[in-house]
Amino acid sequence: MASDKTIVLVTGANNGIGYETVAALSAASAKFHVLLGSRSSEKGHKALEELRATRGNSLQGPISVIQLDVTDRNSINAAKQQIEDQLGRDQLDVLRETFETNVFGQMVLTESLEPLLQKSSDPYIIYVSSEQGTITARLDPEYKFRNIRGDVYRMSKAALNMLAACHRFNYAEWGCKVAAFNPGWCITNLTGEKGREMRIKGGARDPKEPAAALVDIVLGKRDVDLEKNGMVDLDGGVLPW
């Protein structure tokens, strides 16, 4: 891999927002080498084949599949070793993390890859959070989603936001930019095929929209929002913690 490539790791990237983010990053610039992270190597390669078959004309930068389960420390260590060995590079430029199981997997992954991020000249960490995790909105009687329970989900996203805030503070001394990102209500396979159908019928957004916003963050177009307190919002500005 050419030394001037910016390495971008996208976890949970074999479908949904992660999948669209891989496509958007590769289409945005040939300078990106995107790592398509998937818990299943088979599903990761299948997703890459689908990308090349359906969007091959728009893809510019290289895409590589990397097996990665953020809840498995052995998988995390193996992924770190793969980045160092197979890519011929011991640094990582951008780390985008999906929150699938619990916040601890995200913490372990980020802190395991911290040494690689420190070697980048322009490192980013982007946590995909949710407005459901904002404590401020949860207690706002005017909040449009206030009647949706989902207590455990809300708690996990609030914890992820705190992790983002801690890492922003802790990593500021070596210039790492850290964001918690609200992608809005999107069409994904997160809750299975029935859940996907429900989202489509309910008017959920195309995952290409948050993917495009994530590319803007990676390109530095929303750095001004990263200086504010709150989640970077899909539609612009920031939402309160």
Side-chain angles (χ1 to χ4, degrees), residues 63-164:
I63 302 172
S64 300
V65 174
I66 186 167
Q67 190 280 324
L68 177 59
D69 181 349
V70 299
T71 66
D72 184 342
R73 184 177 286 275
N74 290 331
S75 176
I76 291 171
N77 291 337
K80 177 177 180 288
Q81 196 64 47
Q82 182 179 338
I83 293 171
E84 293 179 326
D85 295 344
Q86 295 184 12
L87 298 182
R89 186 91 159 264
D90 63 354
Q91 74 175 55
L92 186 65
D93 300 293
V94 183
L95 174 62
R96 176 196 163 259
E97 303 188 7
T98 56
F99 188 82
E100 295 180 352
T101 307
N102 56 54
V103 71
F104 302 113
Q106 319 311 311
M107 180 179 68
V108 171
L109 175 61
T110 299
E111 295 181 357
S112 294
L113 296 178
E114 181 183 342
L116 307 189
L117 286 161
Q118 286 193 19
K119 295 176 181 179
S120 170
S121 60
D122 192 23
Y124 282 81
I125 298 171
I126 308 170
Y127 291 102
V128 178
S129 186
S130 169
E131 63 182 294
Q132 297 297 310
T134 166
I135 297 173
T136 302
R138 189 69 190 97
L139 300 176
D140 183 354
E142 302 300 320
Y143 179 48
K144 59 183 178 180
F145 298 124
R146 69 187 303 265
N147 291 324
I148 296 177
R149 288 293 300 268
D151 294 356
V152 173
Y153 179 79
R154 289 179 182 275
M155 291 165 62
S156 69
K157 290 301 185 181
L160 183 63
N161 290 342
M162 176 56 79
L163 180 63

Side-chain angles (χ1 to χ4, degrees), residues 10 13-14 17-27 34-37 48 51 59 63 211 215:
V10 183
N14 59 286
I17 296 173
Y19 177 89
E20 293 297 340
T21 300
V22 170
L25 283 166
S26 181
V34 185
L35 306 183
L36 189 161
L48 180 54
L51 270 179
L59 303 179
I63 302 172
V215 172

